[in-house]
Amino acid sequence: MPIARKSQSEIELMQEAGRILAITHHELAKEVKPGMSTRDIDTLGETIIRDYGCIPSFLNYCGYPASICVSVNDEVVHGIPSDKRIIQDGDIVSLDAGVIYKGYHSDAARTLIVGTVSEEAKRLVEVTRQSFFEGIRYARPGYHISDIGRAIQGYVESNGFSVVRDLVGHGVGRRLHEKPDIPNFADRKKGPRIKPGMTLAIEPMVNAGEYDVVWLEDDWTVVTEDGSLSAHYENTILVTNDEPVILSRAEGIEL
């Protein structure tokens, strides 16, 4: 199946999905605090998404039982919200969410700092965020998908952290996961050539320790094998003839 390249009308729908998703992340970031359960975060996130007339992309996707993936500290991605998991001062909390607006998806993730955290945790979160921006410099015609991952990996490793190998970014549009896969690391294969109209979810997942991960018994939650902290940053972007455009953003809200 060829990689989908979106029409102007499709792009406009994805831009609105992205705007609502950016607002959702912004509102959640204001509310997450010590004493909340991860289920509280999920409930609030779903409420915001539905209040905008949208559908949570993740709820029941391949059996996932929630609207917001809430991953704490050594959890990399896909943490399942629970009434029993309580956010503590000093945690870092990764929120991964998706929005469906009129049949089109947007996908984005943020890692939040809760209260007073270690300097290593602060730096991990910032390096993960910046690695995304290092990668999207290559999300433009004339480059290949592998160029994005090479830039992300180079930046992350130059800062003493590691990039998860077992999970990757992806295309996004009418489906939450479309072609192509987008590794956050250098691949021997160049991957597809990047062309205008592609919409991509680029999502560095970065560990403070080694890059190895394991899946817990719930078959969803991915954690660092060595117990080190992990951070996640993601946006949905549009490839143009010039600079890439971040679709999962809203006016007045910092990325």
Side-chain angles (χ1 to χ4, degrees), residues 132-165:
F132 164 85
F133 291 98
E134 297 296 322
I136 67 166
R137 292 168 53 200
Y138 297 91
R140 52 195 306 171
Y143 292 100
H144 291 81
I145 289 296
S146 61
D147 293 315
I148 297 173
R150 184 174 297 105
I152 290 171
Q153 181 183 8
Y155 181 77
V156 167
E157 292 183 353
S158 72
N159 280 277
F161 299 126
S162 62
V163 175
V164 171
R165 304 293 201 275

Side-chain angles (χ1 to χ4, degrees), residues 52-219:
Y52 276 92
C54 294
I55 299 169
S57 297
F58 295 176
L59 184 60
N60 299 320
Y61 180 78
C62 296
Y64 185 75
S67 298
I68 312 292
C69 295
V70 187
S71 307
V72 183
N73 294 334
D74 65 333
E75 296 172 349
V76 181
V77 287
H78 305 157
I80 297 176
S82 168
D83 293 324
K84 296 179 181 178
R85 186 67 185 271
I86 305 301
I87 302 301
Q88 306 292 328
D89 182 83
D91 285 342
I92 61 171
V93 181
S94 296
L95 306 180
D96 191 3
V99 159
I100 308 171
Y101 175 76
K102 295 186 178 180
Y104 284 82
H105 294 262
S106 186
D107 191 3
R110 304 285 185 266
T111 298
L112 308 179
I113 289 171
V114 181
T116 304
V117 304
S118 68
E119 288 303 315
E120 179 188 53
K122 288 180 184 178
R123 200 165 69 83
L124 174 66
V125 171
E126 180 51 37
V127 166
T128 303
R129 175 186 175 278
Q130 184 58 34
S131 72
F132 164 85
F133 291 98
E134 297 296 322
I136 67 166
R137 292 168 53 200
Y138 297 91
R140 52 195 306 171
Y143 292 100
H144 291 81
I145 289 296
S146 61
D147 293 315
I148 297 173
R150 184 174 297 105
I152 290 171
Q153 181 183 8
Y155 181 77
V156 167
E157 292 183 353
S158 72
N159 280 277
F161 299 126
S162 62
V163 175
V164 171
R165 304 293 201 275
D166 291 353
L167 301 150
V168 298
H170 51 91
V172 61
R174 288 192 66 87
R175 292 179 295 140
L176 179 59
H177 292 97
E178 298 182 347
K179 289 188 175 182
D181 287 345
I182 308 170
N184 298 302
F185 48 89
D187 198 328
R188 288 180 298 174
K189 298 178 181 178
K190 285 186 175 181
R193 188 178 294 276
I194 296 170
K195 297 179 181 180
M198 290 181 175
T199 47
L200 310 174
I202 298 174
E203 51 176 323
M205 290 155 275
V206 178
N207 296 345
E210 300 299 321
Y211 61 71
D212 306 279
V213 298
V214 294
W215 272 252
L216 298 185
E217 290 183 0
D218 62 20
D219 291 329

Side-chain angles (χ1 to χ4, degrees), residues 38-55:
T38 54
R39 174 62 69 189
D40 292 335
I41 297 170
D42 176 62
T43 299
L44 177 58
E46 180 175 351
T47 298
I48 295 167
I49 291 168
R50 293 194 186 279
D51 282 350
Y52 276 92
C54 294
I55 299 169

